[in-house]
Amino acid sequence: MYRYDQYDQAMVDARVEEFRDQCQRRLDGQLSEDQFKPLRLMNGLYLQLHAYMLRVAIPYGTLSGAQMHILADIADKYDRGYAHFTTRQNVQYNWIKLEDAGDILADLASREMHAIQTSGNCIRNISSDHFAGAAADEVCDPRPYAELLRQWSSFHPEFSYLPRKFKIAVIASPTDRAAMKLHDIGINLVRNNEGELGAAFYVGGGMGRTPMIAPQIREFVPLDQLITYAEACLRVYNRHGRRDNKYKARIKILVHELGADEYRRQVEAEFEHLLAQKIEPPFAELERLCEFFGDPGFENLAEAEIDRSDPEFALWVDRNTHPHKRPGYTSAVISLKPVGGIPGDATAAQMRLMADLATQYSFDECRVMHTQNIVLPHVRKADLHALWTKLDEAGLATPNLDQIDDIIACPGLDYCSLANARSIPVAQKISQRFAANGKGDTLGELKLKISGCINACGHHHAGHIGILGVDRKGVENYQLLLGGSEADDTSLAKITGPGFDEDGIVNAVETATDVYLANRADGERFLDTYRRIGMAPFKEALYG
Amino acid sequence: MIILTGNDLATGAVTWWTGSAWSHDVADAADVGDQADAIAAREEAARRVNVPYAIQAEIGPGGIVRPAHIKDRIRGLGPTVRPDLTLKPGDADAVREVI
Amino acid sequence: MVDHTSTTPSGAEGRGPEARPFLRFRDDDPVGDPAVTVNAFLGQGNATAVRIEPGDDTRELLPHLDRVALVEVNFPTLGDGRGYSAARILREEGYTGELRAVGNVLVDQLAFMRRCGFDAFEPGEPLDAADVEAALGRFPHVYQQAADSAVPIWSLRHGKEAGARNG
Ligand code: HEM
Ligand code: SF4
């Protein structure tokens, strides 16, 4: 894992003091809310439905045990004993006092964490593959490059007042587990024909009210030009992105309106100019970063057979582990989606347990997944049963990764001031319904995603089944979408037709799964069947 | 009726204008008539409230103030999925009444 | 490349009778000429001061930089960050004259503006001198190369000393 040196620490500490002052100036009345708002947002502090909300950055989703512990301590000390893990691999607290904000940031800084640029129209936390450094199919560990980008984007003097927020994801395997093409910039590390490592740049993806899949802008950026190329992409956006309309201000609109070719032309021209400015970090820095993400001390194990005599354990192994690049190891997923629970929420006690298990079983490391679950990336297969037993005792062993009840849900109207409808109760009812009727186990991979408004924080466009909360004359209403995917076969889901009330949407989801079960060919997932048979049979069953 | 709500500047807690002060209980909210803007400006300037805004409400069953929009009713109570964290943790019907 | 590293403003006093709030990090005399719009500047062979609005294309000025003594960059709103790019581009192209941020300039923006090459400020509301000093001295380092002479952390880590430039 990356560790701060004195420079990183000094920067984060300075930010704590800066924000402490800014909070004080607000409390004293020297700053108006209008003046304070952009400042607090750059430190992840929102004013939400019930209180201030703090979003803490978890760079590329990687946490040490000690970091998870301090997140739990903050939940107890300053919040109400729990925290919410988000689809952007961050963590949010819902009940924060402005008076405490400086102290919280200081606690975070004591464990090399911060809330810098977790909101506002700036470059946000860099997300990555939650199996980075562990996945059998990766070309390299994407995180050193994500860390380089994190440092470059921190306190960027030119790009802190962009037209709109800016999200970057970095992956390094053919299987996309980070929704890379649904980001403002998606970077895929690849090898070219000469075997050299470089970065493919995809620019202008996103969800929100105008979902778009990012086109490729450059097939191969050499690693010693990565930052310069990113700078060029951002400068073209900062200069020419739309600022007349908040809803058209994301880079996806610029790329769409210019066309990918014209955007590329402008970026390449800016890139030529910037190359001459020599802004690229020394290559030795990239080498330094790579060392942090090397082998954490893997043993040379023989490939181990897992004892599958306990069927519950065997099911969990089948569903919640992922192949590791080293023999004898696997990555284990801790589901934060118990049946009837709140997707992504964890209590302080659960967080401490996960921290300790990470220390004990996974080289002191855990990851936040964009599906709002937690990964222990490097677990010895021989330890899996012991790990599972402890998780099970704490209610953290739900075997449902990528199943219908592994639902992504945004906070919705229970917490979010922008919401049209509640998302969490819908998620709860769906998981309860499919647990009760026993159908859940027959469906296989089915990604269900719920957003409480068009902003799409719950990725509903990218769900095999998506649900979007809308406001129908002051009453909560839910639209059903089918056919989205955030994986390497990225596609955007389509609305089935008129919306439903809360019970109606739960029924509609069940109906859609019935159509799938009746039509599926051998080995087909829900998404495959939908793609083969199209929308019509679903419409017929839902509205016919 | 029109009532005035906002958040406490220092704590962020949801507050409601009672006619003379700010309360955490929506039941205390008073009709501000056409005075919303004036009160809001004065109270915000004095830093007794943050981003105040006026909303429509009615007197609901039992004589309790009921904001017209579900969003403000949830603000008044707390998250419907965590009854233990709402204003009325002991009241099993509270959540059903706001939605 | 001008040295923009000084954190103490010089000539921070006003200019003339109806002095507007003004902050300057240059030793030469302030340019008194009224700044004209980019269009007027391009059409007018003798103007020496020009004002860039957010929508203007800074690069149109490049062929004429030798006759410019003052560029004002207007920030009509806090959130419109195009002026940061405008400033950096001018410095990257070798402009060494006065680069003045005007309009909605809060103390919290000063450090980034300095890094983008601004060396004079004419904020809509006066800035408190102590706040300015605190804001400019706040961060001990920088992460990236910009238009100032600050050495990025990643160069310091690999043997570059503070004060040296990349390249
Ligand atoms: C409760 C506080 C939140 C607020 C006020 C908020 C606000 C927003 C807004 C306004 C957008 C649309 C931006 C645009 O398209 O320009 C958005 C998008 C998004 N938010 Fe949130 N959000 C919140 C919580 C979350 C949470 C909890 C998650 C993760 C579960 C999240 C993840 C995202 C993602 C992934 C997108 C869409 C992807 C994109 O187009 O970039 N947000 N959010
Ligand atoms: S999708 Fe809408 S309701 Fe959900 S968190 Fe985002 S902004 Fe809030």
Side-chain angles (χ1 to χ4, degrees):
Chain A
M1 277 186 58
Y2 184 67
R3 297 302 309 262
Y4 285 5
D5 64 3
Q6 83 268 21
Y7 297 112
D8 298 309
Q9 192 66 52
M11 293 299 278
V12 168
D13 290 345
R15 179 58 154 228
V16 173
E17 290 316 311
E18 179 185 52
F19 192 51
R20 228 190 251 291
D21 275 8
Q22 288 166 342
C23 291
Q24 201 53 51
R25 280 158 64 208
R26 174 69 187 117
L27 288 165
D28 293 346
Q30 292 173 48
L31 287 176
S32 69
E33 185 64 14
D34 281 349
Q35 291 170 327
F36 182 56
K37 190 174 172 184
L39 304 176
R40 68 167 159 77
L41 288 179
M42 287 217 188
N43 289 281
L45 196 68
Y46 286 77
L47 187 55
Q48 273 301 336
L49 217 49
H50 309 296
Y52 293 98
M53 179 204 93
L54 180 69
R55 183 179 292 156
V56 175
I58 302 178
Y60 32 90
T62 298
L63 282 174
S64 69
Q67 289 176 323
M68 187 66 117
H69 263 286
I70 198 97
L71 293 177
D73 292 348
I74 288 169
D76 273 340
K77 194 163 152 196
Y78 304 104
D79 203 87
R80 301 200 175 175
Y82 69 108
H84 179 72
F85 290 93
T86 81
T87 46
R88 292 217 74 253
Q89 299 179 308
N90 291 321
V91 68
Q92 292 184 177
Y93 297 101
N94 293 302
W95 306 93
I96 294 301
K97 298 186 167 105
L98 181 57
E99 306 164 314
D100 292 337
D103 291 339
I104 300 174
L105 294 190
D107 283 3
L108 288 170
S110 74
R111 298 284 168 85
E112 305 178 10
M113 279 194 289
H114 61 74
I116 296 164
Q117 293 170 207
T118 54
S119 179
N121 294 332
C122 50
I123 304 172
R124 302 287 190 87
N125 187 31
I126 316 280
S127 56
S128 186
D129 185 341
H130 44 256
F131 292 131
D137 64 350
E138 75 184 9
V139 173
C140 64
D141 190 327
R143 291 172 301 163
Y145 310 93
E147 174 60 25
L148 189 72
L149 287 157
R150 181 191 77 82
Q151 297 192 14
W152 160 75
S153 61
S154 294
F155 314 107
H156 199 294
E158 186 178 340
F159 305 137
S160 290
Y161 296 92
L162 295 167
R164 202 74 181 83
K165 58 165 107 170
F166 205 90
K167 302 178 180 180
I168 302 178
V170 186
I171 66 168
S173 48
T175 308
D176 181 1
R177 289 173 286 262
M180 179 270 291
K181 286 184 195 159
L182 295 172
H183 282 74
D184 297 285
I185 292 183
I187 294 176
N188 190 9
L189 293 155
V190 291
R191 287 199 189 278
N192 65 9
N193 292 337
E194 285 73 52
E196 296 155 340
L197 212 50
F201 269 65
Y202 296 81
V203 184
M207 288 188 248
R209 65 188 62 215
T210 330
M212 283 185 195
I213 298 170
Q216 192 182 75
I217 295 301
R218 191 40 127 90
E219 199 179 344
F220 193 83
V221 177
L223 291 183
D224 58 1
Q225 299 180 341
L226 193 63
I227 294 300
T228 309
Y229 201 80
E231 187 114 350
C233 291
L234 264 296
R235 180 174 283 176
V236 171
Y237 172 53
N238 191 45
R239 298 185 72 211
H240 303 300
R242 286 183 62 172
R243 294 181 188 255
D244 58 326
N245 180 341
K246 182 177 163 182
Y247 301 118
K248 296 194 182 327
R250 295 289 291 268
I251 194 174
K252 61 191 172 190
I253 305 293
L254 177 69
V255 174
H256 182 73
E257 287 180 352
L258 289 177
D261 289 337
E262 173 59 15
Y263 174 74
R264 180 183 301 116
R265 191 193 63 74
Q266 294 188 16
V267 168
E268 292 291 336
E270 196 68 65
F271 178 56
E272 280 307 311
H273 162 75
L274 284 169
L275 277 177
Q277 298 299 318
K278 301 199 191 315
I279 58 167
E280 193 70 25
F283 201 70
E285 175 63 5
L286 203 44
E287 291 168 343
R288 185 186 80 97
L289 295 177
C290 284
E291 281 177 23
F292 285 102
F293 297 94
D295 183 334
F298 292 124
E299 296 165 59
N300 282 319
L301 300 174
E303 194 43 87
E305 276 303 309
I306 297 170
D307 176 359
R308 304 172 55 89
S309 52
D310 177 343
E312 277 186 48
F313 170 63
L315 182 65
W316 181 80
V317 170
D318 288 342
R319 290 208 178 137
N320 286 36
T321 62
H322 187 266
H324 199 280
K325 62 183 180 189
R326 297 288 297 237
Y329 285 92
T330 187
S331 301
V333 175
I334 303 174
S335 169
L336 296 181
K337 319 286 179 66
V339 171
I342 298 178
D345 275 12
T347 64
Q350 288 176 324
M351 290 160 73
R352 289 195 181 96
L353 177 73
M354 294 190 285
D356 294 340
L357 294 174
T359 307
Q360 189 177 355
Y361 293 114
S362 183
F363 297 93
D364 198 29
E365 198 178 319
C366 54
R367 311 280 176 77
V368 181
M369 298 173 74
H370 84 267
T371 55
Q372 304 178 286
N373 295 312
I374 305 293
V375 178
L376 301 185
H378 315 299
V379 181
R380 291 195 323 189
K381 287 183 180 171
D383 291 334
L384 264 187
H385 193 270
L387 170 66
W388 172 77
T389 308
K390 289 178 187 169
L391 289 173
D392 198 32
E393 280 163 15
L396 288 170
T398 316
N400 62 353
L401 181 62
D402 293 339
Q403 307 293 302
I404 191 163
D405 51 339
D406 182 12
I407 299 170
I408 291 183
C410 78
L413 194 49
D414 282 300
Y415 292 102
C416 177
S417 54
L418 303 174
N420 287 323
R422 290 170 303 147
S423 319
I424 298 166
V426 174
Q428 291 174 312
K429 286 190 174 173
I430 292 172
S431 73
Q432 282 161 339
R433 167 77 61 93
F434 281 87
N437 66 16
K439 284 184 195 165
D441 280 336
T442 64
L443 295 170
E445 179 185 305
L446 203 167
K447 299 188 182 180
L448 201 155
K449 303 176 197 269
I450 309 175
S451 303
C453 81
I454 193 78
N455 287 322
C457 303
H459 292 188
H460 64 275
H461 302 294
H464 298 180
I465 298 180
I467 295 174
L468 168 63
V470 294
D471 179 337
R472 225 181 65 188
K473 301 197 186 93
V475 178
E476 295 169 296
N477 194 261
Y478 299 91
Q479 292 180 343
L480 185 69
L481 297 89
L482 301 176
S485 171
E486 76 218 328
D488 22 301
D489 58 350
T490 315
S491 60
L492 300 169
K494 291 198 175 62
I495 297 180
T496 55
F500 304 88
D501 66 12
E502 189 176 303
D503 290 328
I505 191 71
V506 180
N507 294 334
V509 169
E510 187 170 355
T511 304
T513 60
D514 287 342
V515 173
Y516 157 64
L517 288 176
N519 287 279
R520 87 170 145 195
D522 257 5
E524 269 184 349
R525 304 170 298 164
F526 178 93
L527 183 64
D528 305 321
T529 303
Y530 169 82
R531 283 177 177 168
R532 180 172 55 80
I533 68 177
M535 180 67 98
F538 291 93
K539 269 196 155 152
E540 175 63 27
L542 288 163
Y543 306 103
Chain B
M1 65 196 274
I2 293 174
I3 60 176
L4 194 61
T5 181
N7 295 74
D8 185 79
L9 174 62
T11 67
V14 175
T15 54
W16 308 88
W17 179 247
T18 66
S20 59
W22 294 93
S23 163
H24 293 320
D25 193 341
V26 59
D28 299 333
D31 193 345
V32 293
D34 58 4
Q35 291 302 299
D37 289 348
I39 301 170
R42 184 192 72 215
E43 292 296 308
E44 187 161 32
R47 281 174 281 131
R48 285 188 289 261
V49 69
N50 199 8
V51 284
Y53 61 100
I55 57 168
Q56 290 285 341
E58 55 178 24
I59 301 296
I64 302 289
V65 179
R66 182 178 167 85
H69 199 276
I70 181 173
K71 178 179 294 183
D72 297 301
R73 295 200 293 276
I74 292 178
R75 284 181 76 242
L77 181 70
T80 67
V81 291
R82 288 294 302 267
D84 56 318
L85 301 180
T86 61
L87 206 60
K88 302 174 181 173
D91 181 349
D93 293 331
V95 165
R96 202 168 36 74
E97 281 161 11
V98 301
I99 56 182
Chain C
M1 182 67 44
V2 193
D3 181 17
H4 312 277
T5 44
S6 150
T7 56
T8 32
S10 58
E13 68 281 0
R15 306 156 295 162
E18 84 287 43
R20 285 175 291 174
F22 194 49
L23 197 62
R24 217 161 164 274
F25 297 82
R26 298 177 64 92
D27 294 330
D28 53 359
D29 291 330
V31 179
D33 305 3
V36 302
T37 65
V38 171
N39 271 343
F41 176 87
L42 294 173
Q44 207 177 319
N46 53 2
T48 61
V50 59
R51 169 186 281 227
I52 297 177
E53 296 294 336
D56 292 336
D57 182 357
T58 309
R59 288 202 159 98
E60 288 184 4
L61 296 177
L62 298 185
H64 315 285
L65 283 186
D66 51 352
R67 68 170 160 106
V68 186
L70 167 67
V71 177
E72 290 185 359
V73 178
N74 189 25
F75 289 84
T77 62
L78 196 70
D80 192 328
R82 283 176 281 189
Y84 295 87
S85 289
R88 252 186 97 184
I89 288 171
L90 288 171
R91 291 304 188 203
E92 286 165 0
E93 297 289 353
Y95 174 66
T96 55
E98 179 169 339
L99 190 48
R100 189 186 298 168
V102 305
N104 222 311
V105 177
L106 278 187
V107 69
D108 306 275
Q109 274 82 46
L110 283 190
F112 285 168
M113 288 182 169
R114 294 281 290 130
R115 295 218 62 211
C116 288
F118 287 104
D119 53 13
F121 301 91
E122 195 177 315
E125 282 178 48
L127 300 177
D128 178 81
D131 287 349
V132 169
E133 210 182 310
L136 290 178
R138 177 75 70 189
F139 288 93
H141 302 292
V142 302
Y143 273 114
Q144 52 302 86
Q145 189 77 56
D148 57 356
S149 58
V151 177
I153 287 171
W154 53 43
S155 298
L156 295 176
R157 282 185 179 129
H158 300 281
K160 270 259 158 70
E161 281 171 28
R165 231 187 105 78
N166 238 15

